[in-house]
Amino acid sequence: MLGLLAGMLLLKGHHFLWFSFGCLVCSLLPAYWHFEKRQLGTRLLVFLAVIVALGVIGRVPLVAIPNVQLTSFVVIVSAVSLGPELGFVSGSMMALVSNLFLGQGPWTPWQMLAWGLMGLTTGLLGRTSLKNQLWVMVIWGALWGFWFGWIMDLWYALAYVRPLRPASFILSFAASLVFDAMHAATNAISLLFLYVPWRKVMDCLITKYTIL
């Protein structure tokens, strides 16, 4: 995000949105290109499809309640077991597939990036012993509720706010504080009560069927 903001400032008020989409493409394509080249077993593909479906189910029925969804919970729990690369791919795919029901638009790549980064960073966290600390994961989920919102606020500011100034971004972030807090609270509560059993199920399935 810092690199994106620096690049936009260099443009001096021109083509901010196009520049941001270029950055998104450069961020998403390498991950999918590497995923495409990777040798994947049928069981892993089926498992990923189920994970993505769960993420979609966790979002679409709750769409009437602003920023209350279980997609982020699914992204975090699955990324701990699957790792950073598959966490990024599954997280970004949840955004793309769920928007087939909710509506595609210029916000879709931003949601793909946000949930993809959530899966990537959680996958990296899952390689440490911190994944076994429930309160660490609860706090992590709450933080990502705000980080996800800031990424989407960045898109909103680029698309709709004129003139673009540092204060414009600050006001955009502040305006969504309540909605980001709802996302953070949903993540924290779902992880607090469901993280341990869901992770056990994930790990058991991966071990039993030799998915990874």
Side-chain angles (χ1 to χ4, degrees), residues 14-37:
H14 300 286
H15 311 299
F16 285 171
L17 193 58
W18 286 111
F19 176 79
S20 67
F21 275 113
C23 291
L24 286 178
V25 171
C26 292
S27 301
L28 293 171
L29 286 184
Y32 279 93
W33 180 83
H34 189 269
F35 177 75
E36 178 68 22
K37 296 296 182 181

Side-chain angles (χ1 to χ4, degrees), residues 6-183:
M8 290 186 298
L9 291 175
L10 292 175
L11 291 175
K12 298 180 179 179
H14 300 286
H15 311 299
F16 285 171
L17 193 58
W18 286 111
F19 176 79
S20 67
F21 275 113
C23 291
L24 286 178
V25 171
C26 292
S27 301
L28 293 171
L29 286 184
Y32 279 93
W33 180 83
H34 189 269
F35 177 75
E36 178 68 22
K37 296 296 182 181
R38 180 175 174 177
Q39 295 295 326
L40 300 174
T42 303
R43 292 179 179 178
L44 177 56
L45 290 174
V46 172
F47 188 73
L48 285 175
V50 172
I51 293 298
V52 172
L54 287 173
V56 173
I57 293 173
R59 184 185 180 202
V60 174
L62 299 174
V63 68
I65 310 175
N67 264 21
V68 174
Q69 40 75 26
L70 296 175
T71 303
S72 296
F73 166 77
V74 177
V75 171
I76 291 173
V77 176
S78 59
V80 169
S81 300
L82 294 174
E85 181 184 1
L86 296 179
F88 182 92
V89 172
S90 60
S92 59
M93 284 301 298
M94 290 178 202
L96 180 64
V97 176
S98 61
N99 280 354
L100 293 175
F101 301 92
L102 303 178
Q104 303 285 1
W107 54 84
T108 298
W110 291 89
Q111 291 175 331
M112 292 177 66
L113 179 65
W115 267 312
L117 289 177
M118 186 185 297
L120 173 66
T121 54
T122 304
L124 294 173
L125 183 68
R127 291 179 172 177
T128 71
S129 60
L130 293 176
K131 66 181 179 181
N132 299 319
Q133 304 295 323
L134 177 60
W135 284 105
V136 171
M137 300 308 300
V138 169
I139 294 172
W140 179 256
L143 288 174
W144 255 111
F146 289 100
W147 294 339
F148 183 97
W150 294 345
I151 293 174
M152 297 309 299
D153 292 340
L154 181 59
W155 165 77
Y156 169 80
L158 291 173
Y160 297 111
V161 177
R162 295 295 182 273
L164 273 179
R165 297 170 181 167
S168 303
F169 294 104
I170 295 173
L171 290 174
S172 297
F173 296 158
S176 68
L177 182 61
V178 174
F179 299 99
D180 296 340
M182 292 177 66
H183 189 177

